[in-house]
Amino acid sequence: MIGRLTGLVAAKQPPEILIDVAGVGYEVQCSMQSCFAVGEIGAKAVLHTHLIVREDAHLLFGFVSKEERALFRQLIKANGVGPKLALAILSNMTVGQFVQAVHHNDMSTLVKLPGVGKKTAERLLVEMRDKLKDFGELASAPTLDMAPLADSAAPASSPREDALAALVALGYKPNQAETVVKKVAKDGMNSEAIIRDALKAML
């Protein structure tokens, strides 16, 4: 099991980050919270990771905090929640916000998440309540700094295209993602700023 990576941010294509560890590049799927917080290209980064081994792939997921990884691990144990949906949840909500939603039985917030319908929201509220006992102190914890980071390398595509691809990868429908990107994107914004504002607009 790969539990942690310490290296340099070699590339960022949300929700994927490439971490260079002593010359070996690890492709890591991250929540948007972690993508925003991990640092600029070339910066040193530490990611707490979770490896999922499948017949056709080894998938590595990374998080800037142990609490976010712990919640990810609890989410993927819930009935009907796979790693992609868990990552989408953590991209739209901080750990504290999710804990608050469960503690307050806030279904209306959960059903706004991509891939979370009424039945899935009901299961999350029931199954996660006991699992979140150790997360109680996080319900009022400050959220991660989601300020956009400056692009430090020329992107292969435009910021709007990168933002659209990231939102679709998180589970949003292409037409829904395209509509909100057009709404929030302004000249001069980098992809992370567009993603941040798009996620806020859809909740």
Side-chain angles (χ1 to χ4, degrees):
M1 177 68 73
I2 301 174
R4 187 179 69 181
L5 293 176
T6 300
L8 301 178
V9 179
K12 296 178 73 175
Q13 183 68 47
E16 185 175 282
I17 296 175
L18 181 66
I19 300 293
D20 186 329
V21 181
V24 178
Y26 290 87
E27 295 179 347
V28 188
Q29 297 291 314
C30 295
S31 72
M32 288 302 159
Q33 308 281 358
S34 291
C35 280
F36 296 145
V38 74
E40 299 180 15
I41 294 174
K44 182 178 179 180
V46 177
L47 287 176
H48 303 280
T49 58
H50 180 84
L51 178 65
I52 294 180
V53 179
R54 294 178 173 172
E55 290 184 2
D56 58 344
H58 289 195
L59 305 175
L60 192 60
F61 297 87
F63 310 93
V64 294
S65 71
K66 291 182 179 179
E67 291 79 12
E68 194 180 19
R69 181 181 64 179
L71 181 54
F72 175 83
R73 287 174 169 173
Q74 293 297 341
L75 284 167
I76 60 177
K77 293 178 184 177
N79 186 27
V81 178
K84 182 177 180 179
L85 180 54
L87 207 64
I89 291 171
L90 291 171
S91 290
N92 287 273
M93 306 178 74
T94 64
V95 174
Q97 288 169 340
F98 183 81
V99 172
Q100 282 187 324
V102 173
H103 283 178
H104 292 89
N105 209 40
D106 187 0
M107 183 180 295
S108 62
T109 294
L110 296 182
V111 295
K112 294 179 182 178
L113 300 171
V116 178
K118 183 178 179 180
K119 290 184 178 179
T120 301
E122 289 174 344
R123 286 200 302 268
L124 284 171
L125 291 174
V126 172
E127 294 185 32
M128 296 300 295
R129 192 169 291 119
D130 290 338
K131 295 178 180 179
L132 295 182
K133 289 179 179 178
D134 294 335
F135 291 79
E137 69 279 5
L138 294 173
S140 58
T143 60
L144 288 172
D145 180 7
M146 293 181 65
L149 301 171
D151 288 337
S152 54
S157 53
S158 73
R160 295 188 185 201
E161 291 172 337
D162 288 343
L164 179 61
L167 293 171
V168 171
L170 288 174
Y172 288 102
K173 295 180 180 179
N175 59 343
Q176 181 185 16
E178 186 173 0
T179 297
V180 75
V181 165
K182 286 182 179 179
K183 179 180 178 182
V184 304
K186 296 179 177 61
D187 292 341
M189 292 178 69
N190 63 22
S191 59
E192 292 185 2
I194 296 172
I195 295 167
R196 179 203 60 189
D197 288 353
L199 291 174
K200 288 181 179 179
M202 286 190 281
L203 288 180

